[in-house]
Amino acid sequence: MTQQGRVVFSAMEEVVFGRPAAEAVAALAEKAGAERIFLMVSGTLQRETDAIARIRAALGNKVAAVFDRMPAHTPREAVLAATAMARAAGADLIVTVGGGSVTDAAKAVQLCLANGTATAEAMDALRDGKAGAPPVVRQIAVPTTLSAGEFSAIAGVTNEATRVKEMLRHPRIIPAAVVLDPALTRHTPEWLFLSTGIRAVDHCVEGICSAAAHPFADAQALRGLSLLVDGMRRVKADPGDLDARMDCQLGSWLSMAPLATGVPMGASHGIGYVLGAAFGVPHGHTSCIMLPAVMRWNAAADAAGRQALVAAAMGAPGAAAGDLLDSFIGGLGMPRSLAAVGISRDAFPRIAEAAMATPWVPRNPRPIAGPAQVMEILALAA
């Protein structure tokens, strides 16, 4: 049968890379005709560097308000607080500077503004693509990590009551523009930069290995994986290597091609959602721990030889992809087990049960029928 598929392109308008963030953001804001810009930024960058001050200076009197207190994992209440500030400021553009939690928060704020959302209960109406009115206030994202959420039309928001990460989706919440400035990432702690790089590796690998993979996504994910692996090794060896940091950012961008074109992720992402929302494990670390274990568990069902493509893209044709990833992640000094992040075997049944309810575990390339099989994967990562 002839191969079939469908690729839907996003509402992102442009990606600017290699230019100073302040200069690029000012040009994009001018192009958008923005007059009341709402900045959502990393609190650490705001307090400890001049990066935010430079961007504010470039935007001049068009900055209407600044929000700099978004916690990790993007909790609902903080999203609502940011929404209230943006609404009061009459924002006509959101500019984010920071990691994935800040980026996702702004995507959620776009939906909340468009739909008049002001309470945690009202956010239920925005989950899983159910939102009504499309966003009008768009976003320019300046990422400082490599988790690549800025290239997705999905916002992950944690429901504090249930400790579950919920998905908010709308084609127009993907940022209108992204600015990749490698110099800005020098302020990001090494563990965060490298671990979120493994998150991007996870996007590439699970996209390549998906049963729904297609050539358009493969081309970008395979190139992205090569850039990430080489770039992160170079950054680890020399944190001041801006060319290496640029390669990491470009690889991160390419890593999102599978997700952005409809290719589902697998068990590493699904289990990672639970580890992040319910146990507070940083997103990058969830991928460091789970990806090699998932690849080893999936290897027995890899009749199409997709894992061989991963090994070749990492520069080691013929190697076992799970072992190769484990060695690479360990070489970066990242945690390699659930025990290393304080999760004992007693928690495995709870994790396994919750993972089955995520969007990705049921789409794993080796079918997962129930929690017992998730427990097998967790045992490999123990």
Side-chain angles (χ1 to χ4, degrees):
M1 179 179 175
T2 302
Q3 187 174 11
Q4 296 181 345
R6 180 170 180 257
V7 174
V8 178
F9 294 96
S10 77
M12 181 173 289
E13 296 165 8
E14 61 185 292
V15 177
V16 179
F17 56 94
R19 288 176 63 189
E23 172 190 310
V25 166
L28 289 165
E30 182 72 23
K31 180 180 176 181
E35 295 294 335
R36 300 194 60 77
I37 298 170
F38 182 52
L39 287 182
M40 293 181 64
V41 304
S42 156
T44 304
L45 280 180
Q46 168 90 310
R47 292 187 302 272
E48 298 180 11
T49 78
D50 66 351
I52 306 304
R54 287 175 179 271
I55 291 171
R56 288 193 68 166
L59 293 172
N61 60 8
K62 294 180 180 179
V63 176
V66 181
F67 185 93
D68 65 357
R69 54 181 189 278
M70 183 57 58
H73 304 296
T74 319
R76 276 185 172 194
E77 289 298 335
V79 169
L80 291 169
T83 301
M85 184 182 288
R87 188 178 286 127
D92 60 6
L93 179 69
I94 302 171
V95 172
T96 56
V97 187
S101 295
V102 172
T103 303
D104 270 15
K107 290 189 280 186
V109 167
Q110 291 179 65
L111 274 180
C112 290
L113 288 173
N115 289 275
T117 306
T119 66
E121 294 72 25
M123 287 191 77
D124 287 336
L126 305 181
R127 290 185 304 176
D128 302 322
K130 296 182 292 188
V136 175
V137 179
R138 299 296 301 279
Q139 176 183 355
I140 295 169
V142 185
T144 57
T145 67
L146 299 172
S147 50
E150 58 277 2
F151 296 105
S152 161
I154 302 171
V157 176
T158 299
N159 183 332
E160 297 99 313
T162 61
R163 301 193 74 183
V164 170
K165 177 153 277 193
E166 299 171 341
M167 299 296 104
L168 279 59
R169 307 168 190 266
H170 193 286
R172 285 185 62 81
I173 64 170
I174 194 169
V178 173
V179 175
L180 301 177
D181 178 359
L184 203 57
T185 70
R186 289 181 299 183
H187 301 299
T188 305
E190 181 188 77
W191 75 267
L192 183 58
F193 186 80
L194 295 176
S195 67
T196 55
I198 299 300
R199 186 69 169 174
V201 166
D202 202 348
H203 301 329
C204 292
V205 169
E206 291 213 306
I208 293 161
C209 293
S210 171
H214 55 74
F216 182 86
D218 284 352
Q220 295 178 72
L222 288 165
R223 175 62 172 150
L225 181 57
S226 295
L227 285 168
L228 284 160
V229 168
D230 181 59
M232 282 193 284
R233 284 177 174 145
R234 287 154 56 209
V235 170
K236 180 70 175 177
D238 177 8
D241 186 341
L242 290 185
D243 289 334
R245 289 179 177 272
M246 183 82 269
D247 281 351
C248 290
Q249 289 189 300
L250 294 172
S252 171
W253 172 18
L254 295 176
S255 80
M256 288 300 288
L259 259 176
T261 56
V263 177
M265 297 290 98
S268 178
H269 275 72
I271 297 168
Y273 280 3
V274 179
L275 296 176
F279 294 87
V281 180
H283 282 157
H285 284 169
T286 69
S287 291
C288 292
I289 294 161
M290 295 313 309
L291 182 59
V294 168
M295 290 291 281
R296 286 166 170 157
W297 192 83
N298 285 347
D302 184 34
R306 304 297 292 183
Q307 293 202 11
L309 296 178
V310 170
M314 294 183 68
D323 294 346
L324 194 58
L325 285 160
D326 195 18
S327 175
F328 170 62
I329 293 165
L332 297 177
M334 295 293 106
R336 291 299 316 110
S337 67
L338 290 165
V341 292
I343 296 178
S344 69
R345 291 178 181 267
D346 294 346
F348 287 7
R350 175 184 166 199
I351 296 168
E353 193 72 37
M356 291 305 301
T358 68
W360 304 134
V361 168
R363 306 291 298 277
N364 192 65
R366 178 181 173 185
I368 295 176
Q373 290 170 304
V374 179
M375 292 277 285
E376 294 175 10
I377 298 171
L378 294 172
L380 292 174

